[in-house]
Amino acid sequence: MKRTVVLPDLQCPYEDSHLVNNLAIFIKAFRPDAVCTIGDEIDLPQISRWTENTPGWYEQTLASDRDHTVEVLWKLTEHVKEAHMIRSNHTDRLYNVIMKKIPAFLSLPELKFEKFLKLDELGIAFHKEPFHIAKGWIAIHGDLGALNPNPGMSALNQARRHGLNVIMGHTHRAGQSAYSEASNGRLGRVLRGVEVGHAMALKSAKYVSTPNWQQAFAIVTEHNKNVQVDLIYIEKDGTFLVHGRRYGRPR
């Protein structure tokens, strides 16, 4: 049996630090085989196209944000033997701004995202393509497809495109849905889509006023040919229930 904890969008330095601490304590106690972050681990607002030609474009905070993100990732992965990270629209920002402004810098190995975020030192495998997280399941960020405002439906749409069960982030919504193929009383393929929510501090998301977002994470359990995905919702006080046990310190 293999258990993988799938962590939602962090978007450091805008992460919910209280929740991150609770998740780190949980991972240490739960001892999963692997941890997978679903993308947007770092926000990188300084190099966003939305920040270009504004005062934020000139902020000298990129190094401190990077170092802070590395510390958060270490805290969340130090107690597992296997760690994975999925590419995402925010982590693409480094490549995009270099390609647009100074493409010659693409040849510098230290500016590759994996080096920039010190993933080799952290022991985190970076996946630019869909990651086969369990039998019949892939993990993607979810930014490369149409979005649905209903939690779980964006992931289900991606599952129907890929022909595989999908677990994803990006929407900041937490939910799951399924689609069955059946005819004349015979069940065919069943596809499932799971969205794992977010781990941001809501007050830091100043770009949206009334977000339909939910804090959560997921646990993928693979046993022989069977895969169970449990979506764990975070309470407002930052605690959560896993297998009948409450984890975390209340705010």
Side-chain angles (χ1 to χ4, degrees):
M1 183 170 67
K2 181 178 181 180
R3 301 184 301 179
T4 302
V5 170
V6 181
L7 298 176
D9 299 28
L10 296 164
Q11 294 192 218
C12 298
Y14 306 133
E15 84 283 357
D16 182 339
S17 58
H18 183 91
L19 174 56
V20 166
N21 287 335
N22 281 349
L23 288 170
I25 293 169
F26 162 72
I27 291 168
K28 182 179 180 180
F30 190 66
R31 301 189 69 82
D33 299 282
V35 165
C36 177
T37 57
I38 208 68
D40 286 3
E41 293 78 13
I42 184 170
D43 193 278
L44 296 175
Q46 305 90 337
I47 54 176
S48 164
R49 63 190 177 94
W50 309 108
T51 309
E52 189 170 0
N53 298 321
T54 74
W57 190 255
Y58 302 94
E59 287 186 5
Q60 300 298 301
T61 54
L62 188 58
S64 61
D65 282 5
R66 186 272 307 275
D67 293 343
H68 174 70
T69 304
V70 169
E71 291 177 5
V72 169
L73 291 172
W74 171 250
K75 183 184 298 185
L76 292 169
T77 62
E78 62 175 320
H79 296 293
V80 295
K81 295 180 180 179
E82 186 180 327
H84 302 273
M85 177 184 291
I86 311 301
R87 68 135 302 273
S88 58
N89 53 307
H90 278 263
T91 57
D92 278 353
R93 284 179 172 177
L94 182 63
Y95 169 84
N96 291 339
V97 74
I98 294 173
M99 186 63 186
K100 180 181 178 182
K101 300 293 184 180
I102 40 175
F105 278 30
L106 290 174
S107 63
L108 296 176
E110 60 268 31
L111 291 182
K112 295 288 192 294
F113 180 75
E114 298 93 317
K115 291 290 186 182
F116 171 76
L117 212 56
K118 303 182 181 181
L119 298 187
D120 289 344
E121 297 177 34
L122 293 170
I124 299 175
F126 185 58
H127 301 277
K128 297 180 181 179
E129 302 296 332
F131 170 51
H132 288 266
I133 195 168
K135 184 177 178 60
W137 284 81
I138 57 172
I140 61 174
H141 182 60
D143 58 305
L144 301 178
L147 300 183
N148 187 299
N150 299 298
M153 288 302 299
S154 298
L156 182 60
N157 289 337
Q158 291 278 9
R160 295 181 68 177
R161 287 183 58 197
H162 287 274
L164 293 164
N165 302 299
V166 165
I167 186 165
M168 62 174 255
H170 187 61
T171 67
H172 290 198
R173 292 185 273 276
Q176 50 188 319
S177 192
Y179 176 81
S180 299
E181 296 174 345
S183 178
N184 200 29
R186 300 187 65 177
L187 180 66
R189 184 173 58 171
V190 179
L191 291 173
R192 295 179 173 86
V194 177
E195 294 167 44
V196 295
H198 75 99
M200 283 187 72
L202 205 58
K203 63 182 180 181
S204 298
K206 301 183 184 303
Y207 54 88
V208 58
S209 57
T210 57
N212 173 25
W213 297 352
Q214 300 85 39
Q215 288 189 329
F217 68 98
I219 301 172
V220 179
T221 304
E222 185 176 18
H223 182 252
N224 296 328
K225 294 182 179 181
N226 300 317
V227 178
Q228 173 71 30
V229 177
D230 295 308
L231 188 59
I232 310 300
Y233 291 93
I234 311 298
E235 301 294 336
K236 289 179 67 175
D237 66 358
T239 65
F240 44 89
L241 282 170
V242 177
H243 302 163
R245 178 181 173 184
R246 184 169 296 279
Y247 289 90
R249 179 175 56 84
R251 300 185 194 278

